[in-house]
Amino acid sequence: MKKKVHIEYPLNPSSSNIIWSIVSTAAGLQRWFADRVNKAGKTYTFQWGKTEVRSADVINSRAESFIRFHWTDEEPKTYFEFKLHYDELTTNRVLEVTDFADEGEEEDVKSLWDSQIDVLRRTCGL
């Protein structure tokens, strides 16, 4: 049974349209999440390096709010999700990431997301 991992990342005050396109489109995801990203219908195919390929289906989304993916090779009730909201106190956009990890691997998953979000910030200027 996998455990839910939830992390929040404040981003510089940017247009939610820009951030939304970075987390919800194949071109945006290819800038920071994977080396190659293709979309066919509701299925995104992610490629890292020459050999690692995984597919994920979009199982739910609301424009400029959230997008939820399910890895096609994972347990049925697991997903990873990007959710956007505005923090009025700091005037930052906040990217909430929800993912699932095997027991005892929660910190590894958080470290992986920290690394990926660092790439997002550097390549997209957020």
Side-chain angles (χ1 to χ4, degrees), residues 24-26 29 37-46 53-59 67-73:
S24 67
T25 67
L29 290 163
V37 181
N38 294 305
K39 181 180 181 224
K42 291 191 171 213
T43 301
Y44 286 68
T45 302
F46 301 93
V53 177
R54 291 185 79 189
S55 293
D57 296 327
V58 174
I59 55 174
I67 187 164
R68 182 178 291 181
F69 297 90
H70 170 71
W71 292 115
T72 57
D73 60 352

Side-chain angles (χ1 to χ4, degrees), residues 6-120:
H6 180 83
I7 318 157
E8 292 188 4
Y9 298 98
L11 302 174
N12 292 332
S14 297
S15 163
S16 61
N17 291 342
I18 293 168
I19 299 170
W20 177 248
S21 72
I22 290 168
V23 301
S24 67
T25 67
L29 290 163
Q30 189 168 300
R31 291 179 65 188
W32 66 279
F33 187 70
D35 297 331
R36 293 190 114 175
V37 181
N38 294 305
K39 181 180 181 224
K42 291 191 171 213
T43 301
Y44 286 68
T45 302
F46 301 93
Q47 182 175 345
W48 297 268
K50 293 182 180 182
T51 59
E52 186 176 355
V53 177
R54 291 185 79 189
S55 293
D57 296 327
V58 174
I59 55 174
N60 203 351
S61 70
R62 182 178 311 130
E64 295 186 39
S65 180
F66 75 94
I67 187 164
R68 182 178 291 181
F69 297 90
H70 170 71
W71 292 115
T72 57
D73 60 352
E74 286 284 337
E75 298 174 12
K77 293 185 179 183
T78 62
Y79 59 88
F80 68 101
E81 177 180 77
F82 302 122
K83 188 173 188 179
L84 298 172
H85 69 85
Y86 180 74
D87 184 335
E88 292 181 16
L89 186 61
T90 64
T91 68
N92 285 332
R93 300 278 173 196
V94 177
L95 176 62
E96 296 178 37
V97 177
T98 303
D99 199 355
F100 285 79
D102 290 323
E103 183 82 33
E105 294 184 3
E106 297 89 352
E107 288 305 313
D108 292 340
V109 167
K110 287 181 182 180
S111 293
L112 177 64
W113 281 112
D114 289 348
S115 174
Q116 289 299 126
I117 299 302
D118 186 51
V119 172
L120 179 145

